Amino acid sequence: AKIMHLAAKPIAKVAEARARKSKMAKNKLAAAKKKAEAVANSSEMSEAMKLKAISKAMRGKDASRPGKTYVVSQKGGGTRGGKGIKLVDKREKSDKRATERITKKKKHGKKGGMTGSKRMR
């Protein structure tokens, strides 16, 4: 089977895939909560062991909502928007990517710079 690009796929198929993904995430979260509750109610474990077991059960089980998908609309209006899809032009999408890059750089700080003997001058 050929692998189609996400933008080339029909929007309904993409929506179905996202729904499946969110459903699985919710199920995993529910199972983790159930396990955590069982651990919390057990009496043979110490408090520290309970905390460790609960944090292990809840690790990576966040059911976060997927953000908006930005699709660059073509001239002639061939692309149609839908739920969770925002139609933008090229400039708008590049501006958004630039702001993301700037915030990421601010978050992590500049790496490298002058080192060694260059710093002494």
Side-chain angles (χ1 to χ4, degrees):
K2 286 184 181 176
I3 299 170
M4 291 172 71
H5 193 265
L6 190 70
K9 282 186 181 177
I11 289 172
K13 294 282 184 187
V14 176
E16 285 172 10
R18 285 204 184 108
R20 276 197 308 276
K21 189 177 178 181
S22 65
K23 187 180 178 186
M24 285 195 299
K26 283 177 187 169
N27 287 346
K28 279 186 177 181
L29 183 67
K33 278 184 180 176
K34 197 175 182 182
K35 191 173 182 181
E37 206 165 299
V39 168
N41 292 337
S42 68
S43 57
E44 64 266 2
M45 295 174 92
S46 69
E47 289 301 313
M49 284 173 71
K50 282 182 185 180
L51 279 171
K52 196 168 186 179
I54 289 171
S55 64
K56 189 178 178 185
M58 298 301 274
R59 198 175 296 147
K61 302 289 190 291
D62 56 334
S64 58
R65 286 178 53 164
K68 275 190 177 175
T69 306
Y70 291 86
V71 177
V72 179
S73 56
Q74 307 295 323
K75 280 186 178 175
T79 51
R80 290 212 320 260
K83 190 175 180 185
I85 293 171
K86 184 172 170 36
L87 297 176
V88 294
D89 57 352
K90 265 186 184 174
R91 178 194 45 78
E92 204 173 345
K93 188 160 184 179
S94 67
D95 286 350
K96 185 182 177 300
R97 287 180 67 199
T99 52
E100 281 177 0
R101 191 171 60 242
I102 290 165
T103 53
K104 192 175 178 184
K105 192 180 274 187
K106 278 184 183 173
K107 191 176 177 183
H108 296 297
K110 290 181 181 172
K111 290 183 175 75
M114 292 218 274
T115 55
S117 62
K118 290 178 185 172
R119 199 185 323 162
M120 300 298 179
R121 288 182 201 158

